[in-house]
């Protein structure tokens, strides 16, 4: 019986240590990616300049740090059989699970409020920061990339780009809002031009400056992103279930190892006291 317990304890310890060792390596890699994003694409990975902590590099850095610290505590606790490190791991993962649960509940309860606030923040980024200075160049690149990839324009529709700080008084859109067939105008100018002079004038502009709405994507990007997520909702569920399973496995395993370590430490203390009493 005691031998089977020892084998079970050794098996749990090995799996727990190996799993946390792998997560520790992954966490280090995630931190490296975050630092690379910060250095190479400083400011280019955020659509919300008013909340820089929500930029992609900041979120990746925080996630990587949590993974790295938690996995280090778990791996070290299992390797050195340290009850202090194991209970620290348990508390950290339990707090993380609690925070995830609270965020999930609040997100479900206030989803409409969050959605409205997010849309307003995105509109503010377009209206006040797009293409205004080098400091906000990342917003320009991010919006251009998203609009080109998702075939959308603006947050709700193309009118979101009218009269922004980058071109006050102009009802125009960025070039990334142009439908691909209109991005290169040389093959279709005859349809819109009645004279050679007008053709030369159009050549001096891109289709975003022509105020011809039929050349622009009609749908907003917020709606396109919502559709994209809904189509992949099952993947979000699978990832969430996998993360929850790993966290639950970590909590149970760390508590088993913690109790086993404390029991062994207590047994060794008892034997030492008994030996001293026998000598006396």
């Amino acid at each position: 019986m005691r031998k089977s317990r020892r084998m079970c304890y050794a098996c749990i310890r090995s799996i727990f240590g190996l799993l946390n060792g792998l997560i520790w390596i992954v966490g280090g890699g995630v931190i490296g990616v975050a630092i690379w994003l910060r250095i190479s694409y400083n400011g280019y990975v955020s659509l919300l300049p008013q909340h820089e902590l929500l930029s992609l590099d900041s979120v990746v850095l925080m996630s990587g740090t949590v993974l790295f610290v938690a996995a280090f505590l778990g791996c070290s606790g299992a390797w050195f059989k340290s009850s202090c490190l194991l209970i620290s791991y348990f508390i950290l993962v339990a707090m993380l699970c609690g925070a995830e649960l609270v965020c999930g509940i609040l997100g479900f309860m206030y989803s409409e409020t969050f959605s409205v606030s997010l849309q307003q923040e995105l509109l503010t980024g377009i209206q006040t920061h797009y293409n205004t200075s080098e400091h906000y160049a990342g917003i320009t690149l991010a919006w251009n990339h998203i609009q080109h990839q998702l075939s959308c324009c603006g947050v709700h529709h193309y009118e979101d780009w009218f009269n922004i700080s980058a071109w006050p008084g102009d009802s125009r859109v960025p070039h990334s809002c142009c439908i691909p067939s209109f991005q290169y105008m040389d093959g279709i100018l005859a349809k819109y031009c009645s004279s050679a002079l007008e053709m030369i004038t159009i050549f001096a502009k891109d289709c975003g400056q022509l105020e011809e709405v039929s050349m622009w994507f009609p749908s907003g990007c917020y709606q396109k992103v919502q559709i994209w997520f809904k189509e992949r909702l099952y993947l979000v569920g699978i990832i969430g279930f996998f993360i929850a399973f790993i966290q639950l496995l970590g909590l149970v395993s760390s508590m088993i190892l913690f109790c086993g370590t404390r029991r062994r430490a207590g047994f060794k203390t008892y034997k030492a006291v008994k030996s001293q009493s026998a000598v006396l």
Side-chain angles (χ1 to χ4, degrees), residues 48-75:
L48 303 172
Q50 305 92 325
H51 306 283
E52 293 191 2
L53 283 178
L54 296 179
S55 64
L56 180 60
D57 53 346
S58 298
V59 172
V60 172
L61 181 61
M62 288 187 288
S63 303
T65 302
V66 171
L67 281 176
F68 188 85
V69 173
F72 175 79
L73 291 174
C75 187

Side-chain angles (χ1 to χ4, degrees), residues 14 21 35 42 57 77 81 84 86 91 122 131 141 150 157 208 219 225 259 268:
S14 300
I35 295 173
N42 185 25
D57 53 346
K81 299 180 182 180
C84 180
L86 288 170
I91 293 173
L122 291 171
N131 203 29
L141 291 177
L150 298 181
H157 41 65
S219 303
V225 171
C259 293
K268 288 181 179 179

Side-chain angles (χ1 to χ4, degrees), residues 147-215:
Q147 291 181 149
H148 177 72
Q149 291 295 322
L150 298 181
S151 300
C152 57
C153 188
V155 180
H156 304 113
H157 41 65
Y158 54 78
E159 291 183 2
D160 295 335
W161 292 104
F162 292 180
N163 304 315
I164 66 172
S165 299
W167 42 76
D170 289 344
S171 299
R172 51 165 295 196
V173 298
H175 184 70
S176 56
C177 279
C178 296
I179 296 173
S181 59
F182 293 103
Q183 289 182 355
Y184 303 98
M185 304 292 297
D186 52 345
I188 56 168
L189 287 176
K191 181 178 178 181
Y192 295 95
C193 302
S194 58
S195 67
L197 179 60
E198 186 179 354
M199 187 178 295
I200 294 172
T201 302
I202 291 179
F203 259 124
K205 301 179 179 181
D206 64 46
C207 75
Q209 298 174 293
L210 295 178
E211 300 184 11
E212 182 59 52
V213 297
S214 62
M215 297 181 178

Side-chain angles (χ1 to χ4, degrees), residues 208-260:
Q209 298 174 293
L210 295 178
E211 300 184 11
E212 182 59 52
V213 297
S214 62
M215 297 181 178
W216 307 334
F217 295 121
S219 303
C221 293
Y222 193 82
Q223 181 185 5
K224 285 290 187 78
V225 171
Q226 280 186 318
I227 294 173
W228 187 88
F229 271 113
K230 286 179 180 178
E231 291 175 347
R232 294 159 178 80
L233 200 59
Y234 69 96
L235 285 177
V236 177
I238 292 173
I239 293 172
F241 178 79
F242 178 74
I243 292 174
F245 174 76
I246 293 296
Q247 289 176 335
L248 181 61
L249 180 64
L251 287 173
V252 174
S253 300
S254 62
M255 186 51 62
I256 291 175
L257 294 177
F258 171 76
C259 293

